[in-house]
Amino acid sequence: MSLLRLCTFPKCLSGRILLERSVRRVPYADHCLTIRNNIERHISEPPWTSQRRHFSSLIPKKEDGKKRVWEQSQLLDVLKARIQQLQSDVIVDVQHAKVQFVKASKSGTGASSGNSPKNVSGERTEVPKAGQTSCKGGGQTGKGGGKDASASKSRWMEKLSQEKKTKTKKLKQNKTLKNQEHTVAAAKQESEELAELERKAEAKARELAEVEELERKLSQWAVSASPELVQDNSEARVYGDVQRSVRCYLEACVFCGDIDRAHHFLLSHHRMVSRRNLLNIGLYNIMMRVWAKKGSLNQIGRMFILVEEAGLKPNLGSYCATLECMGRTPDCSPHVINRVLRQMEEDGLPVDELFSHCVFRQDERDMVLRAIHTVQPDFQPSINTILQTCSSPLVKDFYTERADAKYPKMAFSLEELRERFSRQLSMEQASTITIHSVEAMKPVTSHMAKMRDLLAVQRLVWHKALVGALRESRMILSSGTQKAVKLSLYPYLCLLDEKDYVDIMIQSLSNLPPSGESLHILAKELGNRVHNKFCIRMKEHNQIVDKLSHIYNEYTELLAKDSKEFDVLPRERWWKLEAEHSSGPSLLGDETHWPHMVVVELGTYLVDLMVKHMKVNSDILNSAYDRKLIPVLYHMYTFRSNKQVGFIKPHPILTQMQQDAMDTTLTFDSYVMPMLCPPVPWTSAKFGAYLLTPTKMMRAVEGANQHEILLEKCQDADLHAVLDSLNQLGNTAWRINQPLLDIIISIFNDKGSEKLDVPPPNSEAPKIPRYNQQDSVTFTSAEKAHLKREVVNAKKKCSEMHSLRMDALYKLSIANHMRDEVFWFPHNMDFRGRTYPCPPYFNHLGSDVTRAVLVFAEGKPLGPGGLDWLKVHLVNLTGLKKRSSLAGRLEYANSIMDDILDSADNPLNGKKWWQNADEPWQTLACCMEIANAVRSPDPTHFISHFPVHQDGSCNGLQHYAALGRDVIGATSVNLIPCEVPQDVYSGVAQQVEEFRARDAEKGLKIAQVLEGFISRKVVKQTVMTVVYGVTRYGGRLQIEKRLKEIDDFPKEYVWDASHYLVHQVFSSLKEMFTGTREIQDWLTESARLIAKSGSTVEWVTPLGLPIIQPYHRSRTQMLKATIQYLSLQITHDSKERPDTVKQKNAFPPNFIHSLDSTHMMLTALYCYSAGLTFVSVHDCFWTHAITVDTMNKVCREQFVALHSQPILQELSNFLLKKYYTTALPINLSLSLSHVCKGCTNIHLLGSLLL
């Protein structure tokens, strides 16, 4: 460190730097040791100014200055020795009246308390190893902690006495040389000064002794943190919201070119000891990269001084910036570069790791290599070409036995895939896309044309007004006299062009519902749009687009039908290509996701601009009104769940204009649309999916980062199976079922159909009652309450209809835009491992309408059994024949072939048989596919694109039955073959009916009322969700909703009937699934004990995916925005204690969800190696008709393989290892023999299943 600092500063400052080091230790010592006097150093100049000031202050020009420096130098070595003695035994971190002690670990790596800010900000202090002696006479470490205060005092008094003699002797010698003619009075004054100094030194010694006594008394409360908290010197660590806010602020300042603001902000935090704790090495590295770009080696040297003052250690990023700067400096001495490389070696940082761990931008990598080649011309970074494999035994065969693998190719040529990549890249670079609305198909009336023109003119006016307002507000913020340490929105308002911000605001105005939107939600949407566009601009600025294009064009050789065969997976191919093209910028950026508070604050500021500056003439629609400018948006307050919520509501004039115009276009963010090319394969938890749009592999609550930390700690190979399954799902190509889409659009543009799940237009909404205030005077209080309820219900209905209509409009418009395209859905997952398509509106996880218009882009012949599977699938979609065997369902399909063909030929004018199905639109699509197949010359050669579904039989209960080896439960959910498929919902309904009949005979009134109303549909949702943790309260609400849907059921008995039925359903399940309840109880109790101990529940899936439940006690954080104060409920703060209720209630369902996702991923991987097209909707698997049998076989094999693992025993061992301590002797062990009362051999279940 000292070598680098000395080599980067001018020689004339060398002496000053040494003095700077000696003087600056005093504030740090006071910070560590002072209890009563929390001394804080305030510096108003930059460090290089303070160097000159301290240097000149040491010249003994005045007696006062001489006295002050003399006192500092007298106490300096004593304090330094005491600091080192404390570091070697106990680290004392004192801030104001808070004292925290942390025992140094035996390995020599100290750790700070989990509540200390230093614990979050990175490495702070070097802690000597146990038994090591301190270098300034502090005594042998670990020896003096038990001595009393008097012994400590005498030891320190000896030290002070010796130091006093030495300093006095030197001072007298200097006095003799410089001041021989001093008078006796001066000598007397000098002795008085020495006496005063001695008194102060004695007071300091007593204070130090008190500290030592305090540390002895409090040693029993010392907390030892994990050693890696101090050892971890990585920039990739994720910090709290405050630290991330500081980092994001610096990055924003640097990106918009405001270097002075960023530098002054960092220095302001550094000078204040209380704020210095928020800084970590990564923040200093941000400024080092800036100075490296400018070739300013002196500035980097000064940053290293600040790093040392902060108690941090340089990491790879620090040395990378230094070498980059030296590479940009033509006349940099090789001797200096050698010193840096030697310093890296001393710090245990291999040079090769610079190129494997650091993230490079633009030409940074080339500059670092240039510097190294100056002293080591033959140096070449080592490239790791060895592919690691996942250690899970469940996927061992998948990765090792590839000789028989048939990895599928896509039905596209190399040129076609590359052309599609170019189109997708252009769309993402634009950030948004404008498409035609399906409402544009309606005939245009003169009034519609007038409203469209009027709206277009107004948007231009608003655009101009917002540009001017934004420009003015930025000027005000830039010249504001705010505190240097205060985070300002100014740099965030300079990241994009003014036009980009205004386009985002205009886009949000178009999407605003007539009933308005919560300020919090609207602000979050605006802030996220700015962040996404900034991330894309950042990647373009870092020059990764060309490199991405080059690698992707080579990657398409793996997928194209006209290229050679490969025996590698997409992830492996991309990883290899990236290693081969390692020069230039890194594809994986190191940008920090903005904290939720920053996103909301920025969005709130933009909303405030919209409310204040978007105006419209009051007579624009009716010339009878007086002309005046009125706001387009209003800020108001409303109540939701008894809480006052800020609301942004459009003026009725704007709503009327938008409804009458029926705008022909819709503008979406680019990530809303399906991809036009295969997604970038996930190669890590931070890279994959879209080309430029930032995407997280694991979704989480806004601001939660616990999952990111867990994923960072994982070995890369542990996540390979999870990444490969996501890639397999994302590589499935889709296209639109055009004939069916046209039928749906025609109904949508008519008046919709609630029966067919096509929402009607807003014109069909009920009129909101309007009452004259004068007439209401004559109403009674009951009548007024009734009228108020009517108004509330009408407004609620209108709002719901508008939401449903807009949702359908978005989905159908996107589908219509993609009608001639082939497209892909990139996938990611939630924190439990359940996978989801990234595009939010239009995907195969959607409603019956969206699933019906989607088919596979790749077609395959039906083969000998494909047509039969289409017919069975049709019957499954109707919801009929649930208890029939496959042969029975096929026979039924053949018997209604006339209805099937009539539905396909005359869907809207025929018998309309398909409209009575459970899934009417998917039923109609299947009817059309069957009709085309049977009318083809040879159905076995008919090319089918239609996906056939295989749905799980109450999948959660299947996992519970397998975990508990419960044969009776396994039989009811089809884990054991029977003559006819078992339906657990019908079984529960039948048992509940028996309970009801018994109670009715006893004269129970509600049991008698329910006669004839207990059906499979009434109990299905509760049975399905009880395994996922639904409570009796939630189950009652579900049953209540089903009973209200029955027209003949007396509404006055709904409440009592729902209470009665939920009790019977839970009793029935308890009898049918005995092992399930016991496992649930063990999981719930374990989570309760873990949460009560202050920890959140974690576990690892059988595929190695780490999972943590992010449920913490909520806290309120106030955002003081201009438009209003926002009170935000933060539920993800890991500093808060866990929410015990949520932790224990959520653990059983989340654990089963993780097993469900593991089984799906295993099925996806082995289907991919078999050459199948496979997608899933959680526990519902889709493939071509010809490959259904193969998929079913793989599904069963992987289910047996999964539950052949000792899942519960491994979970118990993990929980015991992680949470069991002598201080927390909780019982987390599980007696498997207790819960496995049925079949104790999973292979027996497996043999029956297969």
Side-chain angles (χ1 to χ4, degrees):
M1 178 63 175
S2 58
L3 290 176
L4 179 60
R5 186 176 66 253
L6 289 173
C7 73
T8 55
F9 269 73
K11 294 181 180 179
C12 62
L13 290 179
S14 299
R16 301 180 186 180
I17 294 171
L18 295 175
L19 293 173
E20 159 77 5
R21 292 181 60 192
S22 65
V23 173
R24 291 199 178 191
R25 285 197 188 97
V26 176
Y28 184 70
D30 289 337
H31 169 63
C32 292
L33 297 175
T34 302
I35 295 179
R36 299 188 183 90
N37 305 318
N38 184 28
I39 300 174
E40 187 175 275
R41 197 181 89 204
H42 298 276
I43 303 175
S44 58
E45 299 89 357
W48 45 92
T49 306
S50 62
Q51 291 166 8
R52 292 193 295 270
R53 186 188 65 201
H54 286 308
F55 180 75
S56 60
S57 67
L58 291 177
I59 301 175
K61 295 181 179 180
K62 297 181 180 180
E63 292 297 322
D64 291 340
K66 177 181 64 178
K67 175 181 177 181
R68 175 173 55 81
V69 175
W70 185 30
E71 290 176 355
Q72 289 181 349
S73 60
Q74 178 71 17
L75 293 176
L76 175 61
D77 289 341
V78 178
L79 296 178
K80 180 178 178 182
R82 179 54 179 153
I83 291 172
Q84 293 177 349
Q85 193 272 340
L86 289 175
Q87 287 176 348
S88 64
D89 187 9
V90 177
I91 299 173
V92 184
D93 186 6
V94 181
Q95 286 185 334
H96 302 286
K98 299 180 180 179
V99 184
Q100 297 176 354
F101 293 92
V102 179
K103 290 286 187 181
S105 63
K106 294 182 179 180
S107 61
T109 55
S112 58
S113 170
N115 297 326
S116 173
K118 295 184 181 181
N119 194 25
V120 189
S121 303
E123 190 167 345
R124 292 287 173 184
T125 310
E126 292 281 346
V127 183
K129 295 183 178 180
Q132 179 180 342
T133 56
S134 56
C135 59
K136 285 281 184 177
Q140 194 165 0
T141 62
K143 299 285 186 180
K147 297 182 178 181
D148 57 14
S150 60
S152 302
K153 180 178 177 181
S154 63
R155 186 176 70 247
W156 282 102
M157 288 303 296
E158 288 180 7
K159 174 65 179 178
L160 287 174
S161 178
Q162 182 63 32
E163 292 293 329
K164 184 187 69 173
K165 292 178 181 179
T166 304
K167 296 294 182 181
T168 303
K169 183 178 180 181
K170 290 183 179 180
L171 184 60
K172 288 182 177 180
Q173 291 175 354
N174 292 334
K175 287 287 183 179
T176 302
L177 293 175
K178 295 181 179 180
N179 302 311
Q180 294 180 355
E181 57 272 341
H182 269 196
T183 62
V184 177
K188 182 178 180 181
Q189 181 181 0
E190 179 181 327
S191 62
E192 292 176 354
E193 291 175 357
L194 290 174
E196 182 180 356
L197 176 60
E198 184 176 354
R199 287 194 299 272
K200 290 184 178 180
E202 290 179 356
K204 178 62 66 176
R206 287 193 296 270
E207 186 173 290
L208 292 173
E210 290 176 5
V211 171
E212 194 163 293
E213 173 66 14
L214 180 61
E215 87 183 35
R216 184 186 65 80
K217 292 181 179 180
L218 298 182
S219 60
Q220 56 184 331
W221 297 316
V223 181
S224 296
S226 177
E228 60 253 7
L229 292 179
V230 172
Q231 292 175 346
D232 188 2
N233 212 19
S234 170
E235 276 188 74
R237 286 185 53 78
V238 182
Y239 305 98
D241 283 352
V242 177
Q243 289 83 2
R244 285 197 297 157
S245 297
V246 173
R247 183 183 181 90
C248 293
Y249 184 84
L250 289 175
E251 290 177 347
C253 291
V254 171
F255 183 80
C256 64
D258 199 347
I259 308 302
D260 291 339
R261 181 184 294 267
H263 189 72
H264 187 55
F265 180 82
L266 181 64
L267 290 181
S268 300
H269 273 69
H270 177 84
R271 291 168 188 157
M272 298 176 62
V273 176
S274 60
R275 290 186 177 270
R276 189 185 298 175
N277 294 330
L278 301 178
L279 305 180
N280 68 305
I281 186 63
L283 301 179
Y284 293 94
N285 288 349
I286 291 175
M287 294 309 303
M288 288 188 194
R289 293 179 93 156
V290 173
W291 302 128
K293 290 286 188 300
K294 298 179 178 293
S296 179
L297 200 56
N298 287 346
Q299 292 284 12
I300 290 182
R302 292 174 180 130
M303 295 306 300
F304 269 82
I305 293 178
L306 299 182
V307 169
E308 186 177 9
E309 286 181 355
L312 298 169
K313 286 181 60 178
N315 65 355
L316 287 171
S318 312
Y319 290 113
C320 184
T322 306
L323 291 171
E324 177 197 348
C325 184
M326 293 176 177
R328 296 184 188 278
T329 306
D331 56 347
C332 184
S333 169
H335 182 62
V336 174
I337 299 175
N338 263 326
R339 285 187 173 184
V340 174
L341 295 179
R342 285 199 301 270
Q343 188 67 49
M344 286 183 62
E345 185 178 354
E346 291 177 7
D347 291 347
L349 300 175
V351 178
D352 272 335
E353 289 188 1
L354 285 173
F355 302 93
S356 60
H357 290 70
C358 291
V359 175
F360 296 102
R361 302 173 183 174
Q362 301 173 357
D363 61 343
E364 292 177 353
R365 187 179 189 275
D366 299 333
M367 293 299 102
V368 173
L369 268 178
R370 176 186 294 179
I372 297 176
H373 285 165
T374 303
V375 295
Q376 300 178 16
D378 299 330
F379 173 81
Q380 289 298 328
S382 60
I383 300 176
N384 182 17
T385 58
I386 301 176
L387 288 173
Q388 297 177 324
T389 58
C390 184
S391 59
S392 174
L394 294 170
V395 291
K396 179 181 179 181
D397 294 343
F398 174 78
Y399 287 107
T400 57
E401 299 178 6
R402 303 194 184 192
D404 299 329
K406 303 175 182 178
Y407 300 142
K409 289 274 190 177
M410 294 185 179
F412 301 98
S413 66
L414 201 60
E415 193 63 29
E416 288 174 328
L417 288 176
R418 291 174 178 175
E419 186 269 337
R420 289 179 172 278
F421 166 80
S422 299
R423 293 169 56 197
Q424 176 67 26
L425 182 62
S426 299
M427 183 174 71
E428 292 194 36
Q429 286 178 317
S431 300
T432 59
I433 181 173
T434 300
I435 67 175
H436 290 287
S437 167
V438 293
E439 289 185 330
M441 299 179 180
K442 292 183 177 181
V444 180
T445 64
S446 58
H447 182 66
M448 288 171 60
K450 178 183 176 181
M451 287 297 103
R452 289 175 183 177
D453 294 340
L454 195 60
L455 199 55
V457 171
Q458 286 300 314
R459 283 173 178 163
L460 291 176
V461 173
W462 296 332
H463 194 282
K464 183 177 180 181
L466 288 174
V467 167
L470 180 63
R471 186 176 300 150
E472 182 181 356
S473 65
R474 290 204 301 201
M475 290 178 60
I476 294 173
L477 287 175
S478 65
S479 59
T481 57
Q482 295 180 342
K483 292 182 179 180
V485 295
K486 183 176 178 58
L487 294 172
S488 168
L489 283 179
Y490 175 73
Y492 296 103
L493 294 172
C494 300
L495 298 174
L496 310 175
D497 296 334
E498 294 169 347
K499 177 181 177 299
D500 294 327
Y501 289 102
V502 175
D503 288 343
I504 289 173
M505 289 187 271
I506 297 295
Q507 179 186 349
S508 66
L509 181 69
S510 303
N511 300 335
L512 196 64
S515 58
E517 186 59 272
S518 163
L519 173 61
H520 181 204
I521 295 176
L522 184 59
K524 184 173 67 173
E525 291 177 354
L526 286 169
N528 282 328
R529 288 195 177 106
V530 174
H531 176 255
N532 287 335
K533 184 164 285 194
F534 161 67
C535 289
I536 294 173
R537 296 289 182 272
M538 174 75 83
K539 292 179 180 179
E540 293 174 343
H541 176 74
N542 293 339
Q543 302 175 358
I544 73 167
V545 174
D546 292 339
K547 182 174 181 178
L548 177 68
S549 302
H550 189 68
I551 292 179
Y552 192 95
N553 287 336
E554 291 193 32
Y555 167 71
T556 53
E557 296 177 359
L558 175 73
L559 309 174
K561 64 181 180 181
D562 57 348
S563 61
K564 65 178 182 179
E565 295 289 336
F566 288 86
D567 62 348
V568 295
L569 300 169
R571 171 188 54 81
E572 296 169 343
R573 177 61 178 165
W574 187 277
W575 179 82
K576 185 177 180 180
L577 289 172
E578 198 168 349
E580 292 175 356
H581 300 86
S582 57
S583 61
S586 305
L587 294 184
L588 174 61
D590 59 349
E591 301 84 11
T592 307
H593 286 283
W594 290 355
H596 183 58
M597 288 294 292
V598 173
V599 171
V600 175
E601 186 177 5
L602 176 60
T604 306
Y605 190 87
L606 298 180
V607 172
D608 188 41
L609 291 179
M610 295 170 65
V611 171
K612 290 180 178 178
H613 299 282
M614 295 180 68
K615 311 280 187 179
V616 68
N617 286 324
S618 58
D619 63 342
I620 191 170
L621 296 181
N622 190 343
S623 58
Y625 292 118
D626 295 335
R627 170 169 292 195
K628 61 179 180 179
L629 285 176
I630 58 176
V632 175
L633 299 175
Y634 284 90
H635 175 234
M636 54 183 295
Y637 292 92
T638 186
F639 284 91
R640 286 187 174 180
S641 301
N642 298 325
K643 292 183 180 180
Q644 192 176 21
V645 178
F647 227 68
I648 303 298
K649 189 172 183 179
H651 194 280
I653 291 178
L654 175 64
T655 302
Q656 189 65 41
M657 290 171 63
Q658 290 177 334
Q659 290 180 351
D660 293 348
M662 291 187 180
D663 208 345
T664 59
T665 60
L666 296 171
T667 301
F668 294 109
D669 298 306
S670 60
Y671 64 85
V672 166
M673 304 296 292
M675 291 188 67
L676 300 175
C677 66
V680 174
W682 287 102
T683 55
S684 70
K686 293 184 177 181
F687 183 78
Y690 294 101
L691 305 180
L692 298 176
T693 306
T695 310
K696 291 184 178 180
M697 187 194 77
M698 185 171 282
R699 304 180 179 188
V701 183
E702 289 286 351
N705 56 20
Q706 298 94 321
H707 313 92
E708 297 177 14
I709 296 175
L710 278 184
L711 292 174
E712 284 180 3
K713 292 180 180 179
C714 280
Q715 296 293 329
D716 291 339
D718 292 339
L719 294 177
H720 284 173
V722 174
L723 300 175
D724 290 333
S725 63
L726 289 176
N727 296 334
Q728 190 277 330
L729 297 172
N731 276 345
T732 301
W734 301 85
R735 74 178 192 182
I736 297 297
N737 187 340
Q738 295 187 21
L740 191 70
L741 177 63
D742 293 334
I743 297 173
I744 298 174
I745 291 176
S746 66
I747 296 177
F748 180 83
N749 282 334
D750 187 11
K751 288 188 177 181
S753 173
E754 291 189 7
K755 179 181 178 181
L756 298 176
D757 200 24
V758 180
N762 295 331
S763 59
E764 300 298 314
K767 299 298 181 181
I768 299 176
R770 305 287 182 184
Y771 299 101
N772 193 335
Q773 292 291 337
Q774 297 177 355
D775 296 339
S776 63
V777 175
T778 61
F779 294 156
T780 65
S781 58
E783 290 173 334
K784 289 180 180 179
H786 176 71
L787 295 176
K788 186 176 181 180
R789 282 194 300 270
E790 283 188 346
V791 172
V792 170
N793 291 335
K795 288 182 177 179
K796 182 179 179 182
K797 182 67 175 178
C798 291
S799 178
E800 290 175 351
M801 289 183 63
H802 176 80
S803 298
L804 293 173
R805 179 75 177 182
M806 295 305 296
D807 181 66
L809 175 65
Y810 292 165
K811 291 176 179 177
L812 294 177
S813 298
I814 293 173
N816 188 58
H817 179 75
M818 308 296 294
R819 65 186 301 127
D820 298 319
E821 296 282 359
V822 174
F823 50 89
W824 289 260
F825 295 126
H827 279 63
N828 61 1
M829 66 179 69
D830 63 13
F831 73 92
R832 302 164 299 185
R834 301 199 97 185
T835 59
Y836 299 86
C838 295
Y841 296 133
F842 181 69
N843 56 64
H844 60 284
L845 261 68
S847 62
D848 176 45
V849 172
T850 52
R851 294 188 189 190
V853 299
L854 285 170
V855 293
F856 293 135
E858 181 186 7
K860 292 185 178 182
L862 287 178
L867 182 58
D868 290 344
W869 273 117
L870 282 176
K871 293 176 181 179
V872 171
H873 177 55
L874 174 70
V875 177
N876 292 340
L877 291 171
T878 64
L880 306 171
K881 306 299 179 182
K882 288 286 187 180
R883 304 297 293 269
S884 299
S885 63
L886 295 181
R889 299 180 194 189
L890 180 60
E891 182 181 353
Y892 174 74
N894 290 328
S895 67
I896 58 171
M897 188 58 67
D898 292 340
D899 293 332
I900 295 174
L901 297 178
D902 176 75
S903 298
D905 297 336
N906 303 292
L908 301 179
N909 301 317
K911 300 178 183 178
K912 302 179 183 179
W913 168 84
W914 61 278
Q915 295 188 9
N916 297 317
D918 284 354
E919 310 285 351
W921 290 111
Q922 293 179 77
T923 301
L924 177 58
C926 194
C927 289
M928 293 179 173
E929 189 76 0
I930 291 174
N932 293 333
V934 298
R935 290 167 179 168
S936 65
D938 185 359
T940 60
H941 292 89
F942 174 76
I943 303 299
S944 174
H945 298 260
F946 198 81
V948 176
H949 309 172
Q950 296 289 282
D951 201 354
S953 299
C954 198
N955 191 248
L957 286 174
Q958 288 181 329
H959 284 289
Y960 269 122
L963 287 172
R965 310 300 194 256
D966 185 355
V967 175
I968 297 176
T971 303
S972 64
V973 290
N974 295 311
L975 288 184
I976 293 180
C978 302
E979 293 183 0
V980 294
Q982 299 298 301
D983 181 25
V984 66
Y985 310 117
S986 299
V988 172
Q990 181 178 351
Q991 191 165 10
V992 170
E993 172 60 24
E994 293 175 1
F995 294 157
R996 185 210 62 80
R998 182 190 61 195
D999 293 338
E1001 292 177 359
K1002 296 178 181 179
L1004 186 61
K1005 178 64 176 177
I1006 194 62
Q1008 296 171 352
V1009 172
L1010 280 167
E1011 184 176 1
F1013 292 106
I1014 298 176
S1015 63
R1016 179 183 185 273
K1017 185 176 182 180
V1018 171
V1019 303
K1020 177 181 177 180
Q1021 187 179 11
T1022 305
V1023 174
M1024 183 190 308
T1025 55
V1026 72
V1027 68
Y1028 295 125
V1030 72
T1031 61
R1032 291 180 184 267
Y1033 174 78
R1036 190 201 66 78
L1037 293 178
Q1038 294 169 345
I1039 294 175
E1040 177 184 311
K1041 187 176 181 180
R1042 300 286 84 82
L1043 291 176
K1044 287 180 178 180
E1045 294 172 354
I1046 303 175
D1047 297 332
D1048 298 335
F1049 189 79
K1051 298 300 184 285
E1052 64 271 18
Y1053 288 103
V1054 168
W1055 177 271
D1056 293 333
S1058 60
H1059 269 287
Y1060 174 79
L1061 287 179
V1062 73
H1063 176 73
Q1064 302 303 332
V1065 168
F1066 272 71
S1067 299
S1068 176
L1069 287 173
K1070 191 173 183 179
E1071 289 188 11
M1072 295 177 64
F1073 296 89
T1074 55
T1076 296
R1077 177 56 61 183
E1078 291 172 348
I1079 295 174
Q1080 274 187 318
D1081 292 343
W1082 173 71
L1083 294 173
T1084 302
E1085 180 64 13
S1086 297
R1088 186 187 69 83
L1089 293 172
I1090 292 169
K1092 283 188 66 177
S1093 71
S1095 301
T1096 51
V1097 180
E1098 297 180 30
W1099 69 97
V1100 179
T1101 70
L1103 274 185
L1105 179 67
I1107 296 176
I1108 183 173
Q1109 295 190 150
Y1111 310 126
H1112 293 266
R1113 294 181 183 177
S1114 61
R1115 62 175 176 86
T1116 302
Q1117 187 165 355
M1118 189 65 68
L1119 174 60
K1120 298 181 180 180
T1122 305
I1123 191 171
Q1124 79 166 65
Y1125 283 11
L1126 278 174
S1127 179
L1128 306 180
Q1129 293 295 319
I1130 309 297
T1131 61
H1132 60 266
D1133 191 350
S1134 57
K1135 298 176 186 175
E1136 299 290 331
R1137 287 186 63 84
D1139 188 323
T1140 304
V1141 175
K1142 287 185 178 180
Q1143 289 284 343
K1144 72 182 184 67
N1145 289 340
F1147 186 30
N1150 286 342
F1151 179 70
I1152 294 300
H1153 278 310
S1154 69
L1155 291 183
D1156 184 25
S1157 69
T1158 299
H1159 175 232
M1160 185 279 299
M1161 291 177 180
L1162 289 171
T1163 306
L1165 292 175
Y1166 283 93
C1167 283
Y1168 181 76
S1169 64
L1172 273 65
T1173 299
F1174 173 90
V1175 294
S1176 76
V1177 182
H1178 302 318
D1179 63 339
C1180 182
F1181 299 163
W1182 299 12
T1183 191
H1184 288 93
I1186 191 175
T1187 56
V1188 170
D1189 293 316
T1190 305
M1191 184 188 71
N1192 285 341
K1193 182 175 181 294
V1194 172
C1195 173
R1196 287 169 168 81
E1197 288 175 348
Q1198 297 312 310
F1199 188 89
V1200 172
L1202 172 63
H1203 285 283
S1204 297
Q1205 304 296 314
I1207 296 175
L1208 292 180
Q1209 187 62 62
E1210 290 180 353
L1211 174 64
S1212 176
N1213 295 339
F1214 177 85
L1215 297 180
L1216 287 170
K1217 181 179 179 181
K1218 183 169 185 63
Y1219 300 109
Y1220 182 84
T1221 62
T1222 55
L1224 180 65
I1226 57 178
N1227 183 18
L1228 300 179
S1229 60
L1230 172 67
S1231 174
L1232 293 180
S1233 60
H1234 179 61
V1235 298
C1236 302
K1237 293 181 177 179
C1239 176
T1240 57
N1241 190 349
I1242 188 62
H1243 295 290
L1244 175 57
L1245 279 176
S1247 63
L1248 295 173
L1249 184 65
L1250 297 175

